């Protein structure tokens, strides 16, 4: 391992010892956004040799169930995913991993950028699920790390106009620097949804064809459903609330489609292509770097948990 990023889920496991239905019951290595250098390969591995720099897709599916056979392997019930209990993650000096989930990095893509393929994959998968393209104006709810990579992915997919929404001024300024056409600051008060929908529509200045909710709260989803045009699409990306109360019927009678995503599938080659070609630059998202000592690991997680100016905290091993 050479580069490992900290994800919100890593912080959540560390602080709460659980996330959704996954509970930490015994010591577990965390980390799943990673890249490294091949040290040794099995006899049947043909496409990699020791010394190759690789980005790692962190989920091992069974390849036998119907979902895997249909290509929707991200939904595999037997999935073994780094740092999802009880599976160990990748914040370690060495890991063993299937070669078909190790993707060789081009010379002009760094190991840190390779590790960023993991969060970027979430944005890419969301854009695929929502059919983002050159004729779709996109609204992104939330300007955290996933909201920002989703913004970058939507632009790379050709969206001509992107508006991003958040409660935090600093994050909105980062989004603007990353290429958002307009930003809208919102409140946490659910009573403001109606007025904020109008602000978002005005900021877009055209129809909101697709909304990508990267926060996943009742309020953000209600806003997304209200702002999206008739016949449009809302994709739920973030997992803020497990259960939410949203105005589904008014959206349904306008034929607004609602889709969800879980992680990603077959995204690494495209992510690497976006990075190699310069269509996406993830480097500005990496705001803090730490080494791999006990103190630095603790400091890194504190920095990530605090939020503030920290977007992506990266370990260099």
């Amino acid at each position: 391992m050479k580069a490992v990023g900290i994800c919100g889920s890593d912080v959540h496991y560390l602080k709460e010892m659980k996330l959704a239905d996954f509970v930490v019951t015994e010591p577990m290595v965390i980390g799943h956004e990673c890249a490294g250098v091949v040290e040794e390969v099995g006899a049947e591995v043909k496409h990699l040799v020791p010394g190759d720099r690789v980005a790692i897709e962190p989920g091992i599916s069974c390849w036998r169930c119907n979902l895997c056979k249909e290509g929707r392997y991200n939904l595999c019930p037997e999935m073994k995913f780094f740092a999802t209990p009880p599976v160990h993650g990748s914040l370690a000096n060495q890991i063993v991993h299937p070669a078909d989930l190790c993707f060789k990095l081009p010379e002009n893509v760094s190991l840190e950028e390779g590790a960023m393929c993991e969060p970027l994959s979430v944005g890419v998968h969301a854009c695929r699920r929502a059919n983002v393209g050159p004729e779709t104006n996109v609204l992104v709810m939330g300007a955290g790390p996933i909201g920002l990579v989703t913004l970058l992915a939507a632009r790379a997919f050709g969206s001509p106009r992107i508006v991003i929404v958040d409660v935090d001024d600093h994050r909105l300024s980062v989004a603007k620097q990353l290429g958002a056409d307009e930003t809208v600051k919102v409140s946490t008060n659910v009573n403001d949804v109606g007025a904020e929908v109008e602000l978002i529509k005005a900021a877009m200045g055209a129809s909101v064809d697709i909304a990508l909710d990267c926060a996943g709260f009742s309020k953000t989803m209600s806003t997304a459903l209200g702002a999206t045009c008739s016949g449009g699409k809302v994709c739920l990306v973030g997992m803020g609330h497990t259960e939410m109360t949203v105005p589904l019927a008014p959206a349904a009678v306008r034929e607004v489609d609602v889709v969800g995503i879980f992680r990603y599938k077959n995204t690494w080659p495209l992510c690497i292509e976006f990075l190699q070609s310069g269509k996406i630059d993830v480097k500005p998202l990496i705001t803090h770097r730490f080494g791999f000592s006990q103190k630095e690991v603790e400091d890194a997680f504190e920095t990530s948990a605090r939020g503030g100016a920290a977007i992506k905290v990266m370990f260099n091993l």
Side-chain angles (χ1 to χ4, degrees):
M1 286 288 91
K2 291 294 179 188
V4 182
I6 297 180
C7 170
S9 68
D10 294 319
V11 175
H12 207 276
Y13 281 125
L14 188 63
K15 292 210 172 303
E16 309 293 333
M17 297 301 280
K18 65 178 173 57
L19 180 61
D21 297 332
F22 300 105
V23 181
V24 181
T25 56
E26 57 191 56
M28 180 182 82
V29 177
I30 42 186
H32 59 266
E33 306 177 357
C34 56
V37 177
V38 176
E39 199 157 273
E40 204 175 325
V41 297
E44 297 299 307
V45 176
K46 302 287 186 270
H47 72 290
L48 294 172
V49 296
D52 282 346
R53 298 153 61 255
V54 292
I56 288 166
E57 181 171 351
I60 305 170
S61 55
C62 77
W63 290 120
R64 287 185 296 277
C65 69
N66 285 341
L67 286 161
C68 281
K69 287 177 177 177
E70 288 168 7
R72 303 190 73 172
Y73 65 85
N74 55 312
L75 305 176
C76 174
E78 301 296 314
M79 174 69 81
K80 293 181 175 63
F81 194 91
F82 281 1
T84 299
V87 183
H88 285 309
S90 55
L91 184 52
N93 288 309
Q94 292 172 313
I95 61 163
V96 178
H97 205 55
D100 67 331
L101 296 172
C102 300
F103 297 86
K104 190 171 175 178
L105 293 171
E107 282 182 13
N108 67 336
V109 177
S110 71
L111 286 155
E112 285 190 336
E113 291 171 279
M116 289 296 292
C117 285
E118 199 279 342
L120 180 58
S121 285
V122 176
V124 166
H125 186 51
C127 288
R128 281 179 176 165
R129 284 275 288 157
N131 294 325
V132 173
E135 297 179 303
T136 54
N137 299 316
V138 172
L139 167 66
V140 178
M141 303 296 298
I146 292 295
L148 296 173
V149 292
T150 301
L151 157 72
L152 294 174
R155 184 66 85 211
F157 271 68
S159 174
R161 189 159 177 81
I162 304 171
V163 172
I164 192 163
V165 172
D166 201 276
V167 295
D168 185 88
D169 282 319
H170 174 71
R171 294 206 153 165
L172 289 174
S173 72
V174 172
K176 198 87 171 95
Q177 289 160 17
L178 290 172
D181 294 291
E182 292 290 340
T183 62
V184 177
K185 189 181 183 186
V186 293
S187 74
T188 53
N189 186 344
V190 74
N191 296 321
D192 296 336
V193 167
E196 288 169 0
V197 162
E198 294 310 313
L199 283 175
I200 289 164
K201 287 180 177 175
M204 186 65 82
S207 65
V208 177
D209 302 303
I210 294 168
L212 303 166
D213 184 357
C214 299
F217 295 104
S218 292
K219 190 193 173 212
T220 54
M221 202 59 185
S222 298
T223 305
L225 289 165
T228 301
C229 70
S230 297
K233 195 170 282 198
V234 175
C235 181
L236 179 54
V237 182
M239 299 189 292
H241 286 152
T242 308
E243 292 186 15
M244 44 179 92
T245 305
V246 295
L248 199 53
V253 296
R254 295 192 300 111
E255 295 196 2
V256 174
D257 294 343
V258 179
V259 297
I261 67 158
F262 185 62
R263 295 173 181 154
Y264 34 67
K265 61 183 175 76
N266 301 314
T267 50
W268 260 253
L270 182 57
C271 288
I272 290 170
E273 165 57 30
F274 281 152
L275 296 174
Q276 179 181 21
S277 64
K279 279 201 178 113
I280 289 180
D281 181 9
V282 289
K283 293 190 290 292
L285 296 175
I286 306 167
T287 52
H288 294 73
R289 291 173 175 84
F290 291 86
F292 192 43
S293 66
Q294 181 69 28
K295 183 179 188 313
E296 285 182 284
V297 169
E298 289 174 22
D299 290 347
F301 276 93
E302 275 307 314
T303 302
S304 185
R306 263 201 311 276
I311 301 172
K312 184 55 63 180
V313 178
M314 188 73 68
F315 290 107
N316 294 126
L317 280 71

